PDB file of all heavy atoms in Angstrom:
ATOM      1  N   THR A   7     -33.554 -97.652-108.483  1.00 50.00           N
ATOM      2  CA  THR A   7     -32.387 -98.465-108.890  1.00 50.00           C
ATOM      3  C   THR A   7     -31.795 -99.225-107.713  1.00 50.00           C
ATOM      4  O   THR A   7     -31.035-100.146-107.881  1.00 50.00           O
ATOM      5  CB  THR A   7     -31.303 -97.563-109.518  1.00 50.00           C
ATOM      6  OG1 THR A   7     -30.889 -96.606-108.532  1.00 50.00           O
ATOM      7  CG2 THR A   7     -31.811 -96.849-110.742  1.00 50.00           C
ATOM      8  N   HIS A   8     -32.196 -98.851-106.468  1.00 64.00           N
ATOM      9  CA  HIS A   8     -31.702 -99.509-105.295  1.00 64.00           C
ATOM     10  C   HIS A   8     -32.718-100.438-104.669  1.00 64.00           C
ATOM     11  O   HIS A   8     -32.534-100.926-103.574  1.00 64.00           O
ATOM     12  CB  HIS A   8     -31.220 -98.495-104.256  1.00 64.00           C
ATOM     13  CG  HIS A   8     -30.018 -97.699-104.714  1.00 64.00           C
ATOM     14  ND1 HIS A   8     -30.156 -96.579-105.506  1.00 64.00           N
ATOM     15  CD2 HIS A   8     -28.680 -97.886-104.534  1.00 64.00           C
ATOM     16  CE1 HIS A   8     -28.949 -96.072-105.755  1.00 64.00           C
ATOM     17  NE2 HIS A   8     -28.052 -96.855-105.183  1.00 64.00           N
ATOM     18  N   ALA A   9     -33.868-100.611-105.315  1.00 76.00           N
ATOM     19  CA  ALA A   9     -34.919-101.475-104.783  1.00 76.00           C
ATOM     20  C   ALA A   9     -34.463-102.933-104.799  1.00 76.00           C
ATOM     21  O   ALA A   9     -33.836-103.379-105.751  1.00 76.00           O
ATOM     22  CB  ALA A   9     -36.194-101.314-105.600  1.00 76.00           C
ATOM     23  N   VAL A  10     -34.781-103.670-103.730  1.00 83.00           N
ATOM     24  CA  VAL A  10     -34.461-105.087-103.631  1.00 83.00           C
ATOM     25  C   VAL A  10     -35.713-105.873-104.006  1.00 83.00           C
ATOM     26  O   VAL A  10     -36.715-105.825-103.306  1.00 83.00           O
ATOM     27  CB  VAL A  10     -33.992-105.479-102.220  1.00 83.00           C
ATOM     28  CG1 VAL A  10     -33.672-106.949-102.146  1.00 83.00           C
ATOM     29  CG2 VAL A  10     -32.791-104.641-101.814  1.00 83.00           C
ATOM     30  N   LEU A  11     -35.683-106.560-105.149  1.00 82.00           N
ATOM     31  CA  LEU A  11     -36.829-107.293-105.655  1.00 82.00           C
ATOM     32  C   LEU A  11     -36.662-108.781-105.408  1.00 82.00           C
ATOM     33  O   LEU A  11     -35.541-109.289-105.203  1.00 82.00           O
ATOM     34  CB  LEU A  11     -36.972-107.044-107.151  1.00 82.00           C
ATOM     35  CG  LEU A  11     -37.100-105.568-107.574  1.00 82.00           C
ATOM     36  CD1 LEU A  11     -37.188-105.450-109.096  1.00 82.00           C
ATOM     37  CD2 LEU A  11     -38.318-104.925-106.919  1.00 82.00           C
ATOM     38  N   PRO A  12     -37.787-109.513-105.382  1.00 86.00           N
ATOM     39  CA  PRO A  12     -37.678-110.982-105.190  1.00 86.00           C
ATOM     40  C   PRO A  12     -36.981-111.631-106.388  1.00 86.00           C
ATOM     41  O   PRO A  12     -37.049-111.121-107.519  1.00 86.00           O
ATOM     42  CB  PRO A  12     -39.146-111.429-105.090  1.00 86.00           C
ATOM     43  CG  PRO A  12     -39.925-110.358-105.769  1.00 86.00           C
ATOM     44  CD  PRO A  12     -39.191-109.070-105.523  1.00 86.00           C
ATOM     45  N   GLN A  13     -36.338-112.742-106.146  1.00 84.00           N
ATOM     46  CA  GLN A  13     -35.684-113.473-107.218  1.00 84.00           C
ATOM     47  C   GLN A  13     -36.722-113.992-108.197  1.00 84.00           C
ATOM     48  O   GLN A  13     -37.782-114.502-107.790  1.00 84.00           O
ATOM     49  CB  GLN A  13     -34.862-114.619-106.664  1.00 84.00           C
ATOM     50  CG  GLN A  13     -33.696-114.145-105.792  1.00 84.00           C
ATOM     51  CD  GLN A  13     -32.821-115.324-105.377  1.00 84.00           C
ATOM     52  OE1 GLN A  13     -32.790-116.342-106.000  1.00 84.00           O
ATOM     53  NE2 GLN A  13     -32.054-115.117-104.295  1.00 84.00           N
ATOM     54  N   ALA A  14     -36.413-113.891-109.473  1.00 81.00           N
ATOM     55  CA  ALA A  14     -37.397-114.230-110.525  1.00 81.00           C
ATOM     56  C   ALA A  14     -37.817-115.700-110.440  1.00 81.00           C
ATOM     57  O   ALA A  14     -38.932-116.022-110.764  1.00 81.00           O
ATOM     58  CB  ALA A  14     -36.791-113.950-111.910  1.00 81.00           C
ATOM     59  N   VAL A  15     -36.923-116.558-109.962  1.00 80.00           N
ATOM     60  CA  VAL A  15     -37.258-117.989-109.891  1.00 80.00           C
ATOM     61  C   VAL A  15     -38.363-118.252-108.887  1.00 80.00           C
ATOM     62  O   VAL A  15     -39.095-119.227-108.997  1.00 80.00           O
ATOM     63  CB  VAL A  15     -35.984-118.789-109.523  1.00 80.00           C
ATOM     64  CG1 VAL A  15     -35.556-118.481-108.093  1.00 80.00           C
ATOM     65  CG2 VAL A  15     -36.235-120.289-109.717  1.00 80.00           C
ATOM     66  N   PHE A  16     -38.522-117.347-107.893  1.00 83.00           N
ATOM     67  CA  PHE A  16     -39.554-117.571-106.881  1.00 83.00           C
ATOM     68  C   PHE A  16     -40.936-117.123-107.325  1.00 83.00           C
ATOM     69  O   PHE A  16     -41.951-117.594-106.823  1.00 83.00           O
ATOM     70  CB  PHE A  16     -39.229-116.802-105.596  1.00 83.00           C
ATOM     71  CG  PHE A  16     -38.043-117.333-104.840  1.00 83.00           C
ATOM     72  CD1 PHE A  16     -37.207-116.498-104.150  1.00 83.00           C
ATOM     73  CD2 PHE A  16     -37.812-118.696-104.835  1.00 83.00           C
ATOM     74  CE1 PHE A  16     -36.133-117.001-103.416  1.00 83.00           C
ATOM     75  CE2 PHE A  16     -36.753-119.228-104.146  1.00 83.00           C
ATOM     76  CZ  PHE A  16     -35.890-118.392-103.435  1.00 83.00           C
ATOM     77  N   LEU A  17     -41.031-116.208-108.309  1.00 83.00           N
ATOM     78  CA  LEU A  17     -42.300-115.618-108.633  1.00 83.00           C
ATOM     79  C   LEU A  17     -43.329-116.567-109.176  1.00 83.00           C
ATOM     80  O   LEU A  17     -44.467-116.617-108.709  1.00 83.00           O
ATOM     81  CB  LEU A  17     -42.062-114.459-109.625  1.00 83.00           C
ATOM     82  CG  LEU A  17     -41.274-113.269-109.037  1.00 83.00           C
ATOM     83  CD1 LEU A  17     -41.139-112.161-110.104  1.00 83.00           C
ATOM     84  CD2 LEU A  17     -41.954-112.722-107.800  1.00 83.00           C
ATOM     85  N   PRO A  18     -42.991-117.397-110.205  1.00 82.00           N
ATOM     86  CA  PRO A  18     -44.035-118.372-110.689  1.00 82.00           C
ATOM     87  C   PRO A  18     -44.486-119.320-109.586  1.00 82.00           C
ATOM     88  O   PRO A  18     -45.668-119.639-109.486  1.00 82.00           O
ATOM     89  CB  PRO A  18     -43.317-119.092-111.810  1.00 82.00           C
ATOM     90  CG  PRO A  18     -42.194-118.186-112.239  1.00 82.00           C
ATOM     91  CD  PRO A  18     -41.754-117.520-111.000  1.00 82.00           C
ATOM     92  N   LEU A  19     -43.514-119.748-108.777  1.00 85.00           N
ATOM     93  CA  LEU A  19     -43.883-120.669-107.677  1.00 85.00           C
ATOM     94  C   LEU A  19     -44.772-119.991-106.657  1.00 85.00           C
ATOM     95  O   LEU A  19     -45.749-120.566-106.162  1.00 85.00           O
ATOM     96  CB  LEU A  19     -42.583-121.183-107.031  1.00 85.00           C
ATOM     97  CG  LEU A  19     -42.768-122.186-105.867  1.00 85.00           C
ATOM     98  CD1 LEU A  19     -43.460-123.437-106.374  1.00 85.00           C
ATOM     99  CD2 LEU A  19     -41.403-122.507-105.246  1.00 85.00           C
ATOM    100  N   TRP A  20     -44.445-118.741-106.350  1.00 89.00           N
ATOM    101  CA  TRP A  20     -45.234-117.995-105.354  1.00 89.00           C
ATOM    102  C   TRP A  20     -46.644-117.766-105.884  1.00 89.00           C
ATOM    103  O   TRP A  20     -47.614-117.935-105.139  1.00 89.00           O
ATOM    104  CB  TRP A  20     -44.567-116.652-105.057  1.00 89.00           C
ATOM    105  CG  TRP A  20     -45.451-115.733-104.256  1.00 89.00           C
ATOM    106  CD1 TRP A  20     -46.136-114.654-104.711  1.00 89.00           C
ATOM    107  CD2 TRP A  20     -45.825-115.908-102.878  1.00 89.00           C
ATOM    108  NE1 TRP A  20     -46.891-114.111-103.706  1.00 89.00           N
ATOM    109  CE2 TRP A  20     -46.739-114.838-102.571  1.00 89.00           C
ATOM    110  CE3 TRP A  20     -45.482-116.812-101.881  1.00 89.00           C
ATOM    111  CZ2 TRP A  20     -47.256-114.666-101.289  1.00 89.00           C
ATOM    112  CZ3 TRP A  20     -46.046-116.648-100.623  1.00 89.00           C
ATOM    113  CH2 TRP A  20     -46.887-115.589-100.345  1.00 89.00           C
ATOM    114  N   VAL A  21     -46.789-117.385-107.132  1.00 84.00           N
ATOM    115  CA  VAL A  21     -48.128-117.156-107.685  1.00 84.00           C
ATOM    116  C   VAL A  21     -49.006-118.412-107.572  1.00 84.00           C
ATOM    117  O   VAL A  21     -50.140-118.363-107.159  1.00 84.00           O
ATOM    118  CB  VAL A  21     -48.006-116.697-109.169  1.00 84.00           C
ATOM    119  CG1 VAL A  21     -49.371-116.739-109.856  1.00 84.00           C
ATOM    120  CG2 VAL A  21     -47.428-115.313-109.263  1.00 84.00           C
ATOM    121  N   LYS A  22     -48.399-119.531-107.907  1.00 85.00           N
ATOM    122  CA  LYS A  22     -49.179-120.783-107.893  1.00 85.00           C
ATOM    123  C   LYS A  22     -49.515-121.213-106.487  1.00 85.00           C
ATOM    124  O   LYS A  22     -50.667-121.514-106.178  1.00 85.00           O
ATOM    125  CB  LYS A  22     -48.345-121.886-108.561  1.00 85.00           C
ATOM    126  CG  LYS A  22     -49.165-123.033-109.075  1.00 85.00           C
ATOM    127  CD  LYS A  22     -48.319-123.909-110.016  1.00 85.00           C
ATOM    128  CE  LYS A  22     -49.216-124.925-110.722  1.00 85.00           C
ATOM    129  NZ  LYS A  22     -48.454-125.749-111.657  1.00 85.00           N
ATOM    130  N   LEU A  23     -48.546-121.202-105.585  1.00 89.00           N
ATOM    131  CA  LEU A  23     -48.784-121.637-104.221  1.00 89.00           C
ATOM    132  C   LEU A  23     -49.698-120.706-103.459  1.00 89.00           C
ATOM    133  O   LEU A  23     -50.603-121.144-102.748  1.00 89.00           O
ATOM    134  CB  LEU A  23     -47.456-121.755-103.468  1.00 89.00           C
ATOM    135  CG  LEU A  23     -46.529-122.927-103.848  1.00 89.00           C
ATOM    136  CD1 LEU A  23     -45.220-122.860-103.105  1.00 89.00           C
ATOM    137  CD2 LEU A  23     -47.225-124.257-103.558  1.00 89.00           C
ATOM    138  N   SER A  24     -49.512-119.397-103.638  1.00 91.00           N
ATOM    139  CA  SER A  24     -50.314-118.432-102.871  1.00 91.00           C
ATOM    140  C   SER A  24     -51.776-118.474-103.294  1.00 91.00           C
ATOM    141  O   SER A  24     -52.652-118.471-102.422  1.00 91.00           O
ATOM    142  CB  SER A  24     -49.741-117.026-103.029  1.00 91.00           C
ATOM    143  OG  SER A  24     -49.751-116.613-104.395  1.00 91.00           O
ATOM    144  N   TRP A  25     -52.041-118.490-104.597  1.00 88.00           N
ATOM    145  CA  TRP A  25     -53.441-118.537-105.040  1.00 88.00           C
ATOM    146  C   TRP A  25     -54.078-119.864-104.691  1.00 88.00           C
ATOM    147  O   TRP A  25     -55.293-119.902-104.369  1.00 88.00           O
ATOM    148  CB  TRP A  25     -53.543-118.260-106.535  1.00 88.00           C
ATOM    149  CG  TRP A  25     -53.492-116.805-106.868  1.00 88.00           C
ATOM    150  CD1 TRP A  25     -52.567-116.161-107.638  1.00 88.00           C
ATOM    151  CD2 TRP A  25     -54.422-115.798-106.441  1.00 88.00           C
ATOM    152  NE1 TRP A  25     -52.854-114.814-107.681  1.00 88.00           N
ATOM    153  CE2 TRP A  25     -54.000-114.562-106.971  1.00 88.00           C
ATOM    154  CE3 TRP A  25     -55.580-115.816-105.628  1.00 88.00           C
ATOM    155  CZ2 TRP A  25     -54.670-113.376-106.744  1.00 88.00           C
ATOM    156  CZ3 TRP A  25     -56.257-114.628-105.405  1.00 88.00           C
ATOM    157  CH2 TRP A  25     -55.799-113.416-105.966  1.00 88.00           C
ATOM    158  N   ALA A  26     -53.342-120.948-104.765  1.00 89.00           N
ATOM    159  CA  ALA A  26     -53.917-122.251-104.376  1.00 89.00           C
ATOM    160  C   ALA A  26     -54.292-122.251-102.882  1.00 89.00           C
ATOM    161  O   ALA A  26     -55.350-122.725-102.497  1.00 89.00           O
ATOM    162  CB  ALA A  26     -52.905-123.380-104.647  1.00 89.00           C
ATOM    163  N   CYS A  27     -53.401-121.685-102.080  1.00 92.00           N
ATOM    164  CA  CYS A  27     -53.665-121.596-100.638  1.00 92.00           C
ATOM    165  C   CYS A  27     -54.872-120.740-100.331  1.00 92.00           C
ATOM    166  O   CYS A  27     -55.757-121.117 -99.563  1.00 92.00           O
ATOM    167  CB  CYS A  27     -52.405-121.080 -99.936  1.00 92.00           C
ATOM    168  SG  CYS A  27     -52.536-121.066 -98.148  1.00 92.00           S
ATOM    169  N   VAL A  28     -54.927-119.559-100.963  1.00 93.00           N
ATOM    170  CA  VAL A  28     -56.031-118.633-100.670  1.00 93.00           C
ATOM    171  C   VAL A  28     -57.354-119.159-101.213  1.00 93.00           C
ATOM    172  O   VAL A  28     -58.369-119.124-100.497  1.00 93.00           O
ATOM    173  CB  VAL A  28     -55.708-117.253-101.295  1.00 93.00           C
ATOM    174  CG1 VAL A  28     -56.934-116.347-101.229  1.00 93.00           C
ATOM    175  CG2 VAL A  28     -54.538-116.592-100.583  1.00 93.00           C
ATOM    176  N   ALA A  29     -57.368-119.668-102.414  1.00 89.00           N
ATOM    177  CA  ALA A  29     -58.626-120.194-103.004  1.00 89.00           C
ATOM    178  C   ALA A  29     -59.168-121.373-102.187  1.00 89.00           C
ATOM    179  O   ALA A  29     -60.363-121.437-101.919  1.00 89.00           O
ATOM    180  CB  ALA A  29     -58.352-120.625-104.455  1.00 89.00           C
ATOM    181  N   SER A  30     -58.282-122.278-101.766  1.00 92.00           N
ATOM    182  CA  SER A  30     -58.742-123.401-100.949  1.00 92.00           C
ATOM    183  C   SER A  30     -59.270-122.939 -99.596  1.00 92.00           C
ATOM    184  O   SER A  30     -60.228-123.492 -99.092  1.00 92.00           O
ATOM    185  CB  SER A  30     -57.607-124.418-100.770  1.00 92.00           C
ATOM    186  OG  SER A  30     -56.527-123.868-100.042  1.00 92.00           O
ATOM    187  N   ALA A  31     -58.633-121.927 -99.003  1.00 91.00           N
ATOM    188  CA  ALA A  31     -59.092-121.427 -97.741  1.00 91.00           C
ATOM    189  C   ALA A  31     -60.462-120.773 -97.845  1.00 91.00           C
ATOM    190  O   ALA A  31     -61.320-120.860 -96.935  1.00 91.00           O
ATOM    191  CB  ALA A  31     -58.075-120.419 -97.149  1.00 91.00           C
ATOM    192  N   VAL A  32     -60.700-120.048 -98.943  1.00 90.00           N
ATOM    193  CA  VAL A  32     -62.008-119.434 -99.181  1.00 90.00           C
ATOM    194  C   VAL A  32     -63.068-120.510 -99.266  1.00 90.00           C
ATOM    195  O   VAL A  32     -64.145-120.397 -98.645  1.00 90.00           O
ATOM    196  CB  VAL A  32     -61.998-118.568-100.430  1.00 90.00           C
ATOM    197  CG1 VAL A  32     -63.413-118.131-100.806  1.00 90.00           C
ATOM    198  CG2 VAL A  32     -61.119-117.351-100.247  1.00 90.00           C
ATOM    199  N   VAL A  33     -62.816-121.565-100.009  1.00 89.00           N
ATOM    200  CA  VAL A  33     -63.766-122.682-100.133  1.00 89.00           C
ATOM    201  C   VAL A  33     -63.968-123.317 -98.734  1.00 89.00           C
ATOM    202  O   VAL A  33     -65.098-123.669 -98.350  1.00 89.00           O
ATOM    203  CB  VAL A  33     -63.258-123.751-101.122  1.00 89.00           C
ATOM    204  CG1 VAL A  33     -64.155-124.971-101.114  1.00 89.00           C
ATOM    205  CG2 VAL A  33     -63.225-123.137-102.518  1.00 89.00           C
ATOM    206  N   LEU A  34     -62.899-123.442 -97.986  1.00 87.00           N
ATOM    207  CA  LEU A  34     -62.968-124.014 -96.655  1.00 87.00           C
ATOM    208  C   LEU A  34     -63.883-123.222 -95.758  1.00 87.00           C
ATOM    209  O   LEU A  34     -64.721-123.795 -95.050  1.00 87.00           O
ATOM    210  CB  LEU A  34     -61.554-124.112 -96.055  1.00 87.00           C
ATOM    211  CG  LEU A  34     -61.356-124.971 -94.817  1.00 87.00           C
ATOM    212  CD1 LEU A  34     -61.567-126.416 -95.131  1.00 87.00           C
ATOM    213  CD2 LEU A  34     -59.976-124.737 -94.265  1.00 87.00           C
ATOM    214  N   ARG A  35     -63.737-121.901 -95.776  1.00 85.00           N
ATOM    215  CA  ARG A  35     -64.570-121.056 -94.895  1.00 85.00           C
ATOM    216  C   ARG A  35     -66.029-121.048 -95.380  1.00 85.00           C
ATOM    217  O   ARG A  35     -66.961-121.004 -94.561  1.00 85.00           O
ATOM    218  CB  ARG A  35     -64.033-119.637 -94.889  1.00 85.00           C
ATOM    219  CG  ARG A  35     -62.746-119.494 -94.095  1.00 85.00           C
ATOM    220  CD  ARG A  35     -62.942-119.811 -92.618  1.00 85.00           C
ATOM    221  NE  ARG A  35     -63.811-118.875 -91.998  1.00 85.00           N
ATOM    222  CZ  ARG A  35     -63.370-117.764 -91.372  1.00 85.00           C
ATOM    223  NH1 ARG A  35     -62.077-117.501 -91.302  1.00 85.00           N
ATOM    224  NH2 ARG A  35     -64.231-116.951 -90.778  1.00 85.00           N
ATOM    225  N   LEU A  36     -66.247-121.074 -96.709  1.00 83.00           N
ATOM    226  CA  LEU A  36     -67.620-121.051 -97.205  1.00 83.00           C
ATOM    227  C   LEU A  36     -68.363-122.342 -96.889  1.00 83.00           C
ATOM    228  O   LEU A  36     -69.581-122.321 -96.649  1.00 83.00           O
ATOM    229  CB  LEU A  36     -67.596-120.844 -98.737  1.00 83.00           C
ATOM    230  CG  LEU A  36     -67.168-119.421 -99.193  1.00 83.00           C
ATOM    231  CD1 LEU A  36     -67.114-119.386-100.701  1.00 83.00           C
ATOM    232  CD2 LEU A  36     -68.117-118.354 -98.663  1.00 83.00           C
ATOM    233  N   THR A  37     -67.655-123.461 -96.890  1.00 81.00           N
ATOM    234  CA  THR A  37     -68.304-124.730 -96.635  1.00 81.00           C
ATOM    235  C   THR A  37     -68.305-125.123 -95.134  1.00 81.00           C
ATOM    236  O   THR A  37     -69.006-126.033 -94.759  1.00 81.00           O
ATOM    237  CB  THR A  37     -67.593-125.884 -97.435  1.00 81.00           C
ATOM    238  OG1 THR A  37     -66.236-125.927 -97.055  1.00 81.00           O
ATOM    239  CG2 THR A  37     -67.713-125.611 -98.920  1.00 81.00           C
ATOM    240  N   TYR A  38     -67.538-124.411 -94.335  1.00 75.00           N
ATOM    241  CA  TYR A  38     -67.412-124.798 -92.919  1.00 75.00           C
ATOM    242  C   TYR A  38     -68.753-124.620 -92.187  1.00 75.00           C
ATOM    243  O   TYR A  38     -69.053-125.355 -91.283  1.00 75.00           O
ATOM    244  CB  TYR A  38     -66.345-123.941 -92.240  1.00 75.00           C
ATOM    245  CG  TYR A  38     -66.006-124.383 -90.840  1.00 75.00           C
ATOM    246  CD1 TYR A  38     -65.127-125.421 -90.600  1.00 75.00           C
ATOM    247  CD2 TYR A  38     -66.590-123.764 -89.738  1.00 75.00           C
ATOM    248  CE1 TYR A  38     -64.841-125.847 -89.309  1.00 75.00           C
ATOM    249  CE2 TYR A  38     -66.299-124.157 -88.434  1.00 75.00           C
ATOM    250  CZ  TYR A  38     -65.424-125.218 -88.239  1.00 75.00           C
ATOM    251  OH  TYR A  38     -65.136-125.637 -86.968  1.00 75.00           O
ATOM    252  N   ALA A  39     -69.555-123.622 -92.603  1.00 68.00           N
ATOM    253  CA  ALA A  39     -70.812-123.369 -91.922  1.00 68.00           C
ATOM    254  C   ALA A  39     -71.809-124.511 -92.141  1.00 68.00           C
ATOM    255  O   ALA A  39     -72.694-124.706 -91.298  1.00 68.00           O
ATOM    256  CB  ALA A  39     -71.420-122.055 -92.403  1.00 68.00           C
ATOM    257  N   TRP A  40     -71.688-125.221 -93.242  1.00 69.00           N
ATOM    258  CA  TRP A  40     -72.602-126.296 -93.525  1.00 69.00           C
ATOM    259  C   TRP A  40     -72.165-127.594 -92.834  1.00 69.00           C
ATOM    260  O   TRP A  40     -72.895-128.180 -92.068  1.00 69.00           O
ATOM    261  CB  TRP A  40     -72.669-126.540 -95.016  1.00 69.00           C
ATOM    262  CG  TRP A  40     -73.107-125.323 -95.808  1.00 69.00           C
ATOM    263  CD1 TRP A  40     -73.940-124.338 -95.348  1.00 69.00           C
ATOM    264  CD2 TRP A  40     -72.691-124.958 -97.110  1.00 69.00           C
ATOM    265  NE1 TRP A  40     -74.067-123.372 -96.313  1.00 69.00           N
ATOM    266  CE2 TRP A  40     -73.333-123.723 -97.414  1.00 69.00           C
ATOM    267  CE3 TRP A  40     -71.888-125.559 -98.059  1.00 69.00           C
ATOM    268  CZ2 TRP A  40     -73.139-123.092 -98.608  1.00 69.00           C
ATOM    269  CZ3 TRP A  40     -71.697-124.927 -99.287  1.00 69.00           C
ATOM    270  CH2 TRP A  40     -72.333-123.715 -99.557  1.00 69.00           C
ATOM    271  N   LYS A  41     -70.931-127.985 -93.087  1.00 63.00           N
ATOM    272  CA  LYS A  41     -70.424-129.210 -92.469  1.00 63.00           C
ATOM    273  C   LYS A  41     -68.908-129.156 -92.586  1.00 63.00           C
ATOM    274  O   LYS A  41     -68.353-129.043 -93.673  1.00 63.00           O
ATOM    275  CB  LYS A  41     -70.971-130.444 -93.216  1.00 63.00           C
ATOM    276  CG  LYS A  41     -70.464-131.752 -92.592  1.00 63.00           C
ATOM    277  CD  LYS A  41     -71.047-132.946 -93.370  1.00 63.00           C
ATOM    278  CE  LYS A  41     -70.538-134.248 -92.744  1.00 63.00           C
ATOM    279  NZ  LYS A  41     -71.050-135.420 -93.494  1.00 63.00           N
TER     280      LYS A  41
END
Side-chain angles (χ1 to χ4, degrees):
T7 61
H8 294 84
V10 180
L11 303 178
Q13 294 186 22
V15 68
F16 289 147
L17 294 181
L19 181 62
W20 170 255
V21 168
K22 202 166 189 178
L23 288 176
S24 61
W25 278 119
C27 184
V28 170
S30 63
V32 170
V33 174
L34 193 66
R35 287 297 294 268
L36 290 176
T37 58
Y38 188 83
W40 302 330
K41 182 180 179 182

